[in-house]
Amino acid sequence: MGVATMTGAAGKGHLRGTHRLVPPEQTWASIRPLLAVFGITRVADVTGLDELGIPVYQAIRPASATLAVSQGKGVTHDLAKVSAAMEMIEFAHAERVGLPTVRGPAAECGDGSYELRELQLVAGSLVSDTVVLDWVQGTTVLGGRKVPVPKRYVEMSNEFRREWAPPLFETSTNGLASGNSLDEAVLHGLYELVERDCLSQIEAMPRSRHVRVDPSTISDDDCQWLMARFRAADNWFEIVDATNDLDLPCYVVNLWSPSFPVLVSGSGAHLDPAVALNRALTEAAQSRLAIISGTRESIPEQVYLLQNVRQDRPAPLGDDVAVVAFDRADHSGATLTGDLAIVAERLRRHRGRDPFYVDLGIGHEMIAVAKVVAPGLRFEAAHGLVERVGPR
């Protein structure tokens, strides 16, 4: 079965640090006139608040029903600026889902292609096939088959409502993604789902079982530049290979600095291992700036409490810790559509379920937003901004 047609097989127009349909400058030109439409009042460069010099930006949306501050990162200022703005645009789409709905229980409205309990659920969830829900239409990535999806799983809002709402689904941005085209958005939503699945496995392991990557084996120019920025400020960092059975490169970067003795982390997954590592390195820098800037509402309270309890520089690795070369194969192709087919097929082959998406776009040219769903993939809602260094 082929990938559902979205934008055809247009070639990639940008390959530095990420694979996109067009360069970030072109995306910015498209979205800048619409920032006010989405309630974004400011896009701020916060790079200078840290000593690393790795570009990190924030987008501010005061009337948000979710988070008022989003963040973006990249190896260039244009990439970071667009990343921050597009994340906030995703929130704006997910807060108001105006798609047609059908109301009823899963026993009547579901199609049997997945179980509701394969989705992300809150603790003590009352989800069952008899709970009455509103359903919107999703589409499988492979083949374009229509799939019913609970609206409450897609929509995000922290607004208070005077109605009884039983505990059902975990509200998160996991799988929520944007792009210049629908296939670009869906692909990056899938990457995030795979990344979180890999993280769930890694975080359940003792650190002594983590497989580290030897930084000296990394030849990508941008990754070398990012690591050089870490070293120049006397930062300690490690790269963990978190790739799981899906065989889609995924890396976790843990970062510590004597001037900011809190261990933060970043992660990334991509068919191109250099892009996956680039994401992990830049996200580690972004995570630290989220704490330094103090404006991100989702930062847990214990992060700031940790700053009063200095964390020591992590000890050197023992001889028993596995260290590997950065040599995973790059399976990305010339088009986003082709990459999307590869990732979706791996999910179906290894997890036995077709991933699907809900198109949240509202008609703005060059702005596509989708909520991507992959039943059965693991996700820890509290996956860490800060990783405590435990005993080996």
Side-chain angles (χ1 to χ4, degrees):
M1 300 176 71
V3 175
T5 300
M6 293 182 238
T7 61
K12 299 172 182 177
H14 179 85
L15 296 174
R16 186 180 179 190
T18 184
H19 291 186
R20 294 290 184 179
L21 192 64
V22 299
E25 298 86 352
Q26 186 173 338
T27 302
W28 179 249
S30 298
I31 66 176
R32 184 175 184 179
L34 297 172
L35 295 180
V37 173
F38 292 112
I40 299 171
T41 59
R42 184 160 58 101
V43 178
D45 179 3
V46 295
T47 309
L49 297 180
D50 197 0
E51 60 191 352
L52 295 176
I54 295 172
V56 175
Y57 278 64
Q58 295 180 341
I60 315 301
R61 184 167 163 257
S64 171
T66 49
L67 294 178
V69 179
S70 64
Q71 295 202 130
K73 77 285 187 187
V75 290
T76 70
H77 283 265
D78 285 323
L79 283 169
K81 179 169 58 177
V82 167
S83 175
M86 289 297 278
E87 181 180 277
M88 188 55 83
I89 288 171
E90 293 167 16
F91 292 170
H93 282 72
E95 289 172 5
R96 300 285 186 272
V97 176
L99 298 172
T101 61
V102 175
R103 188 168 179 81
E108 297 176 5
C109 298
D111 66 351
S113 61
Y114 67 97
E115 299 291 334
L116 287 180
R117 289 201 165 270
E118 293 181 281
L119 304 179
Q120 299 161 21
L121 307 180
V122 298
S125 174
L126 298 180
V127 157
S128 73
D129 287 346
T130 59
V131 172
V132 176
L133 301 168
D134 289 325
W135 301 77
V136 296
Q137 182 176 277
T139 306
T140 59
V141 177
L142 296 169
R145 179 173 55 83
K146 302 307 178 186
V147 180
V149 185
K151 182 181 179 182
R152 285 186 59 180
Y153 192 72
V154 174
E155 196 167 49
M156 292 177 52
S157 177
N158 295 328
E159 289 182 336
F160 173 76
R161 298 179 182 179
R162 290 186 175 277
E163 61 184 29
W164 181 69
L168 298 173
F169 304 107
E170 181 69 54
T171 301
S172 81
T173 61
N174 195 30
L176 179 65
S178 58
N180 296 281
S181 64
L182 186 55
D183 50 357
E184 181 177 288
V186 173
L187 175 59
H188 287 274
L190 276 181
Y191 281 143
E192 182 171 78
L193 291 170
V194 170
E195 173 193 325
R196 302 291 169 76
D197 186 69
C198 293
L199 287 178
S200 295
Q201 180 174 313
I202 281 289
E203 291 174 357
M205 293 181 182
R207 295 186 72 247
S208 59
R209 290 181 55 198
H210 291 180
V211 176
R212 272 70 170 193
V213 175
D214 181 356
S216 69
T217 64
I218 299 167
S219 60
D220 179 78
D221 289 342
D222 283 328
C223 290
Q224 285 190 342
W225 179 79
L226 291 165
M227 293 187 295
R229 299 303 306 168
F230 290 169
R231 295 187 184 102
D234 192 29
N235 281 253
W236 172 95
F237 69 94
E238 67 175 359
I239 302 168
V240 177
D241 189 340
T243 309
N244 63 10
D245 61 300
L246 296 171
D247 195 28
L248 198 152
C250 181
Y251 299 97
V252 177
V253 171
N254 297 315
L255 177 66
W256 179 95
S257 168
S259 63
F260 189 82
V262 175
L263 193 69
V264 298
S265 63
S267 53
H270 200 278
L271 284 170
D272 181 346
V275 173
L277 179 56
N278 187 301
R279 288 184 174 183
L281 291 164
T282 53
E283 188 176 90
Q286 174 184 274
S287 295
R288 193 158 83 185
L289 264 167
I291 303 170
I292 292 171
S293 66
T295 55
R296 178 86 164 181
E297 309 100 304
S298 60
I299 299 174
E301 178 184 357
Q302 59 266 34
V303 171
Y304 292 102
L305 296 176
L306 277 173
Q307 294 187 65
N308 297 319
V309 181
R310 182 182 180 89
Q311 292 179 300
D312 294 331
R313 179 185 290 267
L317 298 178
D319 294 336
D320 58 333
V321 173
V323 180
V324 299
F326 184 71
D327 59 0
R328 290 196 177 275
D330 177 5
H331 292 293
S332 63
T335 68
L336 296 168
T337 303
D339 288 357
L340 179 56
I342 293 172
V343 177
E345 182 56 43
R346 287 190 188 183
L347 285 172
R348 181 166 68 176
R349 184 170 68 250
H350 289 279
R351 301 300 167 86
R353 293 287 187 273
D354 279 336
F356 50 90
Y357 64 91
V358 177
D359 182 357
L360 301 180
I362 54 178
H364 293 292
E365 187 178 358
M366 297 295 289
I367 299 178
V369 177
K371 173 70 172 182
V372 187
V373 185
L377 289 192
R378 295 160 294 184
F379 172 65
E380 299 295 333
H383 81 92
L385 178 66
V386 172
E387 178 187 337
R388 296 174 184 264
V389 183
R392 295 185 60 253

